[in-house]
Amino acid sequence: MIEDVGKKIKELRTNKNLTLKELSVKTNLSIGFLSQLERGLTAVAIDSLNNIAKALDVNLSYFINEANHNKKIILRSYEKEVFQVENNQFIHYHLTNDIENKNLLPRLIEILPTSSKESLTSYQHEGEEFVYVLEGILTLFINNEQQELFPGDSAHYDSNLVHNWANYTSKIVKLLTVHTPNMFKKETEEM
């Protein structure tokens, strides 16, 4: 997989007539690191790969989905990889090997503790969400109402309701979530 990602980066970079130095400036990654990455000699963290994707005007999924040629039905616990770290607080893991061909988006999300109870930005979007609390105490906001969910509790709601999650405890909260629509699904043309 490392070699595939490196080849894709080099191909995109050269097609855009960018030098390693120019890509280094755009991503704040060293020329040496980028060179090793393109040759498949080193791994890359998801946040760094996301910076590279932005600099090359592609989605992060371009590297991840294209690298997964061998789609397996079963994802072993030891194969799970961090997909995204959001706001240094939410750690996302995909729970499928074939994300671009499925309607559901199953994820494990770990929410790190925060002591800040300042205004939380709620959001809404298309689809629906299912949340199941595995560990910790989740604070769920739906339509400006606050609910505490404990291990074993679940919530299933339309995503067009204004919502968000928070962890106001001192321990990590772990959630199993399933979302629709799957934002990573490849669109197929109907015949």
Side-chain angles (χ1 to χ4, degrees), residues 128-180:
E128 62 183 278
E129 296 182 22
F130 172 80
V131 177
Y132 181 84
V133 180
L134 298 167
E135 289 180 25
I137 302 170
L138 174 71
T139 301
L140 174 65
F141 296 92
I142 294 190
N143 283 340
N144 298 318
E145 289 186 26
Q146 179 177 332
Q147 299 287 329
E148 304 298 323
L149 277 70
F150 299 89
D153 290 350
S154 61
H156 190 182
Y157 49 90
D158 290 325
S159 301
N160 62 0
L161 297 174
V162 177
H163 63 282
N164 207 339
W165 311 321
N167 175 4
Y168 295 134
T169 70
S170 61
K171 299 184 184 210
I172 290 178
V173 172
K174 290 186 181 180
L175 311 173
L176 171 66
T177 69
V178 181
H179 297 144
T180 64

